[in-house]
Amino acid sequence: VGEALRPGAMPEVYMPNIAEGDSRHWVPIVDKVFSKPVWISPTRNMWADVLMATEPCIVSRHYHSHPIWAYTISGKWAYLEHSWTATAGDFVYETPGESHTLVAYEHPDPMKVFFVVSGPLQWLDEQGKTVGHFDVFDYIKLARDHYEKVGIGADYVDTLIR
């Protein structure tokens, strides 16, 4: 199996049942919202995760200058600025240059969405003004701090970096 990799290449990441498992793997983002990282690329300023909201809430208001891909695993969510509402099985491609408000709605299942995020996010206030940013380096620090705190160990993040 190891012979399939070229010198210097890193192995694939295989993670079964990414929307389930040990609750310690879910990194708190804001109240009722958690992220489970599954792939991180500092050199591309990208990451893939399962974002989960355990109750109806505003998840975030943000602007992104790079594309984002989303696949809904469970629950119900939308962007207030759009007419669609996503449920299990729905795919969304977010174009660069868009601001929106991510909302998790009431549903028997928690909102779980597999996201591939490229580039930084800019956090926005209710008037649409930038109040902060979040990039892959912020994500890595948040995950390392959480995994250290819950006993998994900060170095677990290294297993996700490619």
Side-chain angles (χ1 to χ4, degrees), residues 2-11:
E3 294 138 16
L5 290 175
R6 299 192 58 183
M10 295 190 70

Side-chain angles (χ1 to χ4, degrees), residues 138-151:
D138 297 310
Y139 190 61
I140 289 170
K141 180 178 180 351
L142 189 70
R144 283 190 197 284
D145 291 350
H146 172 73
Y147 291 140
E148 191 63 33
K149 180 180 174 184
V150 299

Side-chain angles (χ1 to χ4, degrees), residues 9-72:
M10 295 190 70
E12 72 280 354
V13 173
Y14 172 77
M15 192 177 291
N17 301 313
I18 62 172
E20 307 302 328
D22 186 339
S23 63
R24 297 177 305 153
H25 283 102
W26 294 91
V27 178
I29 302 295
V30 294
D31 190 34
K32 305 176 213 149
V33 179
F34 304 85
S35 170
K36 184 177 182 184
V38 297
W39 172 85
I40 301 171
S41 177
T43 58
R44 293 186 176 160
N45 199 358
M46 292 179 70
W47 66 91
D49 73 327
V50 177
L51 189 68
M52 175 175 66
T54 57
E55 295 180 26
C57 64
I58 291 179
V59 176
S60 72
R61 287 183 180 88
H62 62 272
Y63 167 83
H64 53 90
S65 55
H66 293 79
I68 294 177
W69 298 263
Y71 176 79
T72 308

Side-chain angles (χ1 to χ4, degrees), residues 29-138:
I29 302 295
V30 294
D31 190 34
K32 305 176 213 149
V33 179
F34 304 85
S35 170
K36 184 177 182 184
V38 297
W39 172 85
I40 301 171
S41 177
T43 58
R44 293 186 176 160
N45 199 358
M46 292 179 70
W47 66 91
D49 73 327
V50 177
L51 189 68
M52 175 175 66
T54 57
E55 295 180 26
C57 64
I58 291 179
V59 176
S60 72
R61 287 183 180 88
H62 62 272
Y63 167 83
H64 53 90
S65 55
H66 293 79
I68 294 177
W69 298 263
Y71 176 79
T72 308
I73 298 167
S74 66
K76 183 177 175 181
W77 67 282
Y79 291 121
L80 294 180
E81 297 78 9
H82 293 285
S83 60
W84 53 262
T85 300
T87 57
D90 292 350
F91 171 79
V92 177
Y93 170 75
E94 302 179 25
T95 60
E98 183 175 354
S99 301
H100 42 227
T101 308
L102 174 60
V103 180
Y105 290 115
E106 182 72 37
H107 192 275
D109 300 315
M111 180 203 87
K112 290 184 181 178
V113 181
F114 173 72
F115 278 103
V116 177
V117 179
S118 63
L121 301 174
Q122 293 178 14
W123 301 134
L124 305 174
D125 66 14
E126 291 181 14
Q127 289 73 45
K129 292 188 176 198
T130 301
V131 293
H133 77 280
F134 192 78
D135 64 13
V136 72
F137 305 103
D138 297 310

